[in-house]
Amino acid sequence: MSCFVIGDIQGHLDPLPRLLAAAGADPRTDRFWFAGDLVNRGPRNADTLRFVRNLGEQAISVLGNHDFYLLAIACGAIPRGRDDTLSDVLDAPDREELIAWLRHRPLMHVEGEHALVHAGLLAPWTVRQARELAHEVEGALQGPHWVEFLTRLWGAKPTRWSDDLHGADRLRVIVNAMTRMRMCAPDGEMLLKHKGPIASAPAGALPWFKVPDRRSTTHTIVCGHWSALGYHDGDGVLAIDTGCVWGGALTAVCLETREIYRLKCEQAAAPSGWE
């Protein structure tokens, strides 16, 4: 049995079955970790949710920023933007089942020496603390007041962590770090506006994983989200968003061997046995 980690799909389902077949993955016995952002920008969002859901207990998918966006517009917590591609989910006959399934995905998963999260972890957090903080968000999202939680979630402030944070501010920092963060100031403040490569970041800015005294170095942090960074295996991080949504490739990595499998996103033929 192997465990394969897969980068951001964002509704571009077609390459996934072929990629997993090329990796020799077996949906009956192998395990699959998805780094979040299952939906948005691609054409097959509902099918992507069904595909991952149908893998059952073989699959773990953490929540990404686009997944939160879908949940928020589906329940009316925020107005819908003009450039999303989520109509196939919102108009699906099984819409409520898909939304309920997505709402019950974890924000972070920790197993052995690996921690799976969509974007990253703030420097003051240990992996154990981060997992506890993720549980706080999961409790709010899965609880009876989840619409109110999402209504108050949107925004970029506060931009730094404090143990004294509470309420919506506390949950917003956790979600922004784990689903939106790329760069930070040296003191750990999140710089959420920067989305490009490291070379174009503001002077003095650092990738979140290079902020001094980061306490999560006890584990390899597996993440996606940052397509401009691309594949990165170093600094205690395995980053695997290689820009499928932007015409790049979808990447899978076998955790046991670190063997890399990559498929250009126009290579979409799906083999029998997977879809």
Side-chain angles (χ1 to χ4, degrees), residues 33-60:
W33 290 7
F34 294 89
D37 276 2
L38 293 179
V39 299
N40 203 15
R41 302 196 190 279
R44 298 185 63 192
N45 302 285
D47 285 341
T48 300
L49 294 175
R50 295 181 189 112
F51 183 97
V52 178
R53 181 192 62 186
N54 290 343
L55 290 171
E57 295 182 357
Q58 303 299 109
I60 292 170

Side-chain angles (χ1 to χ4, degrees), residues 42-96:
R44 298 185 63 192
N45 302 285
D47 285 341
T48 300
L49 294 175
R50 295 181 189 112
F51 183 97
V52 178
R53 181 192 62 186
N54 290 343
L55 290 171
E57 295 182 357
Q58 303 299 109
I60 292 170
S61 184
V62 294
L63 290 165
N65 52 306
H66 286 279
D67 305 318
F68 271 103
Y69 172 75
L70 169 58
L71 293 172
I73 64 170
C75 72
I78 61 170
R80 186 176 179 186
R82 285 188 274 182
D83 60 350
D84 70 55
T85 65
L86 297 170
S87 294
D88 64 325
V89 180
L90 299 173
D91 297 336
D94 56 345
R95 161 191 165 134
E96 296 309 315

Side-chain angles (χ1 to χ4, degrees), residues 184 214 225 234:
C184 292
R214 180 167 66 87
H225 183 57

